[in-house]
Amino acid sequence: GAGVSQSPSNKVTEKGKDVELRCDPISGHTALYWYRQSLGQGLEFLIYFQGNSAPDKSGLPSDRFSAERTGGSVSTLTIQRTQQEDSAVYLCASSISPNEQFFGPGTRLTVL
Amino acid sequence: QKEVEQNSGPLSVPEGAIASLNCTYSDRVSQSFFWYRQYSGKSPELIMSIYSNGDKEDGRFTAQLNKASQYVSLLIRDSQPSDSATYLCAVNMAHTGFQKLVFGTGTRLLVSP
């Protein structure tokens, strides 16, 4: 596709349930990033994938959060046992270099 | 001190005026600097990148970089109501191995007709 795509665009779940968020980066982009943005707040870095290297997980807020990237392309961010404080917009970005990142439209997660 | 600092605003300017958005950063050896525009409810969109000291112009936008002062700015000439958005400054920093961008919290710009 022409840009980064994410699905679903909106997700409403109940506290304690697991959710999976998907990101499909721009074709040929080797780097993929996940961010979280709470209402009115800045971007919070979560995790970074670069090619076949081990991912940089330094931003994951707890062990309930995990992500994988299969075949160097599509990535899935999984949140287990969701809590209300997990409610936010989850943004994925991809890039050829670490510099110019291009963002997807985001997934708005609401935990009731 | 935050790694990337921006005034949260809002910065209010009348239509046709110059809007000046400022950003300071803590890492003296940072190499790459970016401005993203984020409309309400939308994802960030890259509008400018700058890598060396001085000015870089693209249409109505000018990015200015002063590495000695650890300062980067974005000027928007002939501001339009459609420029009303939050502008995020992002810096590629050494402590991340230059592998990640560190974002400021953004400056909200309001352009009144």
Side-chain angles (χ1 to χ4, degrees):
Chain A
V4 178
S5 60
Q6 292 185 245
S7 61
S9 55
N10 282 283
K11 177 70 176 179
V12 180
T13 191
E14 294 179 347
K15 178 182 174 180
K17 295 287 181 67
D18 298 353
V19 296
E20 284 190 351
L21 312 180
R22 176 188 167 105
C23 173
D24 201 339
I26 294 172
S27 178
H29 282 195
T30 55
L32 187 148
Y33 305 79
W34 283 98
Y35 296 89
R36 178 168 71 174
Q37 189 172 38
S38 301
L39 187 64
Q41 301 299 309
L43 290 172
E44 177 187 4
F45 167 78
L46 297 177
I47 188 169
Y48 159 57
F49 296 90
Q50 173 59 57
N52 294 321
S53 303
D56 176 349
K57 305 179 182 180
S58 61
L60 294 179
S62 78
D63 59 9
R64 295 187 295 105
F65 288 73
S66 63
E68 63 177 20
R69 188 178 185 191
T70 54
S73 181
V74 172
S75 177
T76 302
L77 177 68
T78 301
I79 308 173
Q80 296 179 311
R81 305 182 301 283
T82 53
Q83 303 296 311
Q84 289 183 332
E85 60 263 29
D86 299 335
S87 297
V89 175
Y90 289 80
L91 292 162
C92 174
S94 72
S95 66
I96 293 176
S97 74
N99 292 320
E100 299 183 349
Q101 297 179 20
F102 297 88
F103 285 83
T107 294
R108 182 176 299 277
L109 175 65
T110 302
V111 182
L112 301 176
Chain B
Q1 180 189 6
K2 292 182 179 178
E3 293 180 295
V4 179
E5 291 207 62
Q6 296 181 255
N7 188 317
S8 62
L11 172 65
S12 296
V13 300
E15 183 175 358
I18 296 175
S20 178
L21 304 162
N22 304 315
C23 172
T24 58
Y25 57 95
S26 62
D27 186 347
R28 185 171 291 277
V29 299
S30 296
Q31 299 176 340
S32 310
F33 308 85
F34 305 88
W35 284 99
Y36 285 80
R37 177 176 62 198
Q38 186 174 25
Y39 291 114
S40 181
K42 301 295 186 183
S43 58
E45 172 192 13
L46 179 65
I47 55 172
M48 287 289 284
S49 59
I50 187 166
Y51 302 94
S52 51
N53 279 328
D55 295 0
K56 179 182 177 183
E57 187 174 319
D58 183 0
R60 294 186 298 111
F61 299 98
T62 298
Q64 299 176 317
L65 176 60
N66 183 327
K67 290 186 178 181
S69 299
Q70 295 172 234
Y71 177 95
V72 58
S73 65
L74 179 70
L75 301 178
I76 306 175
R77 290 182 301 281
D78 189 24
S79 295
Q80 301 296 309
S82 58
D83 295 326
S84 297
T86 296
Y87 289 80
L88 303 170
C89 173
V91 179
N92 195 335
M93 291 191 166
H95 75 79
T96 74
F98 299 108
Q99 296 299 305
K100 294 185 296 191
L101 295 182
V102 177
F103 285 83
T105 54
T107 297
R108 186 173 168 220
L109 174 66
L110 296 175
V111 181
S112 54

